[in-house]
């Protein structure tokens, strides 16, 4: 049993609210997953890389011109590819963050045509690993859409291109020599140059978006450090603004006699609902601490942190202690997720107060805080965690049933003297 409210502002039972991820946190999470948060800089780097790769491929193409059995097909392949590259760069710069499906399919058709023409141009040479130019550059061209389309779509396109090149090289290689070093090594390099850029691009963009989402979530919960001892959260603030507007409109309509008195049953029911919701907000404002909001409004902490604070003692911590405790929970969650199963949890128990063996003369009280983290051993704890714990108070650590346990003694002002 915890000291956290088990109902939201509308009186709906939400179970363990500390684990619930609020609408605000999910909204911030979705914002971090969208391409628009600085991804244009990644897209600009991809554009430059694709242009440089195309220039290199054109130089190789010019050097092999005399060897092509069908030079017109090779030139057409590069013509189609350059049109696709130019059109994609212009379209992504002038368009929105998300490329339409029809445009993405058009890009894929253009790349497929370039690959087909390039293969036709050098098929009779029976050495695709050394002579393909536009087909190899087509794989790099997928970098132009990596920030504008889903990762799965780009990986599937790269996979289809790689599988196609593998099949074509296998059937085009003279019998008895598909695994000969003179053919196998260039063929493997061609396939890698065609497929790996898209894969690396997807990994980089995915990591960047995760970093943005993590930082947004961190900033969101960090704002609770300077909050009052008891306060409403961000989502509740939005609800209060909505209720205030609704109440003002109702009172204004009564004052201007647009709504006649006595109120109709429907209008009276609306007024009663507004009063109930406002009352629930007032009650919650006296029960929810900053730490509750920090956990419940964070997409990351809400899934992994269990908060036990029956007496709402976390509200007594000063800003420095709050920052240290929040940083500790954050670092433990992120460290656990990196090094072990994402289902492992961190439990933060604040209180209960215990009688002090010695009478204090400084008008302070000691709040015991226990932090238990599963799935992480002491020797693998980030050193920054110990520094954060030092800001909370005096602590001792131990290992209990394979879990890291930290006991903290936090000295705060006695609320009775405030």
């Amino acid at each position: 049993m915890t000291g956290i409210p088990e109902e939201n502002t509308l009186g709906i039972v939400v179970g363990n609210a500390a684990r619930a991820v609020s609408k605000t946190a999910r909204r911030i999470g979705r914002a971090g997953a969208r391409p628009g948060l600085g991804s244009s800089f990644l897209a600009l780097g991809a554009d430059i890389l694709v242009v440089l790769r195309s220039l290199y491929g054109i130089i190789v193409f010019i050097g092999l011109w005399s060897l092509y059995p069908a030079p017109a097909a090779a030139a057409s392949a590069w013509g189609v590819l350059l049109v696709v590259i130019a059109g994609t760069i212009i379209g992504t710069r002038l368009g929105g963050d998300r490329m339409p499906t029809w445009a993405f399919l058009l890009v894929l058709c253009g790349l497929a045509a370039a690959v087909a023409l390039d293969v036709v141009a050098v098929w009779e040479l029976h050495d695709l690993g050394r002579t393909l130019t536009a087909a190899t550059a087509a794989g790099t061209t997928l970098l132009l859409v990596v920030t504008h389309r889903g990762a799965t779509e780009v990986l599937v396109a790269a996979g289809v291109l790689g599988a196609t090149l593998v099949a074509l090289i296998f059937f085009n290689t003279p019998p008895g020599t598909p695994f000969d070093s003179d053919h196998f090594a260039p063929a493997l390099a061609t396939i890698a140059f065609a497929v790996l850029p898209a894969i690396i691009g997807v990994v980089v963009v995915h990591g960047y978006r995760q970093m943005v989402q993590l930082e947004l979530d961190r900033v969101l919960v960090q704002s609770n450090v300077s909050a009052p001892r008891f306060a409403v959260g961000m989502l509740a603030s939005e609800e209060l603004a909505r209720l205030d507007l609704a109440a003002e409109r109702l009172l204004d309509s009564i004052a201007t006699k647009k709504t006649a008195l006595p109120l109709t049953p429907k209008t009276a029911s609306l007024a009663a609902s507004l009063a109930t919701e406002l009352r629930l907000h007032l009650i919650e404002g006296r029960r929810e601490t900053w730490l509750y909001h920090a956990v419940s409004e964070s997409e990351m902490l809400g899934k992994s942190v269990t908060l036990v604070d029956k007496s709402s003692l976390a509200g007594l911590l000063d800003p420095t202690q709050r920052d240290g405790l929040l940083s500790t929970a954050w670092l433990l969650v992120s460290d656990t997720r990196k090094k072990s199963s994402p289902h492992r949890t961190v439990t933060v128990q604040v209180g209960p107060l215990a009688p002090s063996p010695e009478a204090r003369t400084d008008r302070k009280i000691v709040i015991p805080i226990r932090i238990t983290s599963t799935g992480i051993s002491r020797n693998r704890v980030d050193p920054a965690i110990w520094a954060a714990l030092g800001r909370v108070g005096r602590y001792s650590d131990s290992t209990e049933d394979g879990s890291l346990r930290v006991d903290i003694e936090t000295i705060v002002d006695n609320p009775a003297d405030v």
Side-chain angles (χ1 to χ4, degrees):
M1 172 133 185
T2 70
I4 302 172
E6 294 298 320
E7 61 182 22
N8 62 12
T9 58
L10 301 180
I12 301 173
V13 177
V14 294
N16 189 352
R19 289 181 171 276
V21 181
S22 71
K23 294 179 181 178
T24 303
R26 284 195 291 268
R27 199 175 303 136
I28 293 294
R30 287 195 297 268
R34 287 199 294 267
L37 296 174
S39 295
S40 57
F41 294 101
L42 296 179
L44 177 60
D47 295 346
I48 296 174
L49 180 61
V50 170
V51 170
L52 293 177
R53 178 63 182 85
S54 301
L55 290 176
Y56 170 77
I58 291 174
I59 293 174
V60 176
F61 158 71
I62 294 174
L64 296 175
W65 177 263
S66 60
L67 300 178
Y68 284 120
S76 300
W78 272 106
V80 171
L81 184 60
L82 292 177
V83 169
V84 171
I85 293 174
T88 304
I89 292 177
I90 295 174
T92 52
R93 289 296 165 184
L94 298 180
D97 292 334
R98 181 76 176 178
M99 174 181 284
T101 301
W102 64 266
F104 180 60
L105 293 176
L106 191 61
V107 170
L108 294 182
C109 290
L111 296 180
V115 172
L117 289 171
D118 198 29
V119 171
V120 169
V122 299
W123 184 263
E124 295 181 8
L125 297 177
H126 298 287
D127 194 3
L128 298 184
R130 288 189 175 90
T131 55
L132 286 177
T133 54
T136 307
T140 308
T141 305
L142 289 173
L143 285 175
L144 298 177
V145 300
V146 75
T147 60
H148 300 275
R149 297 297 300 185
T152 302
E153 297 170 334
V154 177
L155 291 177
V156 168
V160 171
L161 175 61
T164 302
L165 290 179
V166 169
L168 291 174
I169 291 174
F170 179 79
F171 288 111
N172 181 256
T173 304
T177 61
F179 297 104
D180 182 78
S181 60
D182 291 338
H183 293 84
F184 182 73
L188 184 62
T190 297
I191 296 169
F193 288 142
V195 176
L196 285 181
I199 297 176
I200 295 174
V202 168
V203 172
V204 170
V205 172
H206 177 70
Y208 169 77
R209 289 175 179 169
Q210 276 194 326
M211 178 191 69
V212 170
Q213 182 176 346
L214 187 67
E215 291 303 318
L216 283 174
D217 196 52
R218 184 73 168 93
V219 171
L220 172 69
V221 300
Q222 188 68 26
S223 62
N224 292 284
V225 170
S226 57
R229 178 182 177 184
F230 297 106
V232 296
M234 294 183 64
L235 181 60
S237 299
E238 296 176 5
E239 288 292 317
L240 281 173
R242 180 186 65 82
L243 294 173
D244 180 68
L245 179 60
E248 285 185 3
R249 286 177 176 175
L250 178 60
L251 294 174
D252 181 70
S253 65
I254 295 174
T256 57
K257 297 184 179 181
K258 293 180 180 179
T259 300
L261 294 175
L263 299 177
T264 63
K266 181 178 180 181
T267 306
S269 176
L270 174 62
S273 298
L274 290 175
T276 300
E277 292 185 44
L278 285 170
R279 184 174 65 254
L280 288 173
H281 274 291
L282 293 174
I283 294 173
E284 284 184 341
R286 295 180 178 275
R287 295 189 300 174
E288 297 175 351
T289 66
W290 67 274
L291 186 56
Y292 164 77
H293 293 300
V295 172
S296 63
E297 292 175 359
S298 167
E299 185 175 8
M300 188 171 183
L301 297 181
K303 294 177 180 179
S304 304
V305 175
T306 299
L307 175 61
V308 181
D309 188 7
K310 296 180 179 180
S311 303
S312 300
L313 296 173
L316 299 176
L317 274 62
D318 62 38
T320 301
Q321 294 168 333
R322 293 181 181 186
D323 182 70
L325 182 60
L326 188 59
S327 299
T328 299
W330 189 272
L331 290 170
L332 281 173
V333 169
S334 60
D335 198 45
T336 301
R337 286 194 170 191
K338 288 187 296 184
K339 298 179 179 179
S340 59
S341 171
H343 301 293
R344 306 301 174 87
T345 61
V346 174
T347 301
V348 179
Q349 180 177 342
V350 184
L353 292 177
S356 177
E358 299 178 0
R360 301 189 65 93
T361 60
D362 53 1
R363 297 184 180 275
K364 303 285 186 178
I365 61 174
V366 178
I367 298 177
I369 300 176
R370 178 184 299 174
I371 301 177
T372 305
S373 176
T374 62
I376 180 172
S377 58
R378 189 189 186 286
N379 58 356
R380 295 175 62 183
V381 172
D382 192 317
I385 294 177
W386 306 120
L389 286 170
R391 298 200 300 271
V392 183
R394 187 174 59 184
Y395 66 89
S396 61
D397 60 275
S398 60
T399 302
E400 180 180 293
D401 297 330
S403 300
L404 175 66
R405 171 178 166 176
V406 181
D407 293 293
I408 314 172
E409 292 184 353
T410 305
I411 300 176
V412 300
D413 294 328
N414 192 333
D417 299 328
V418 177

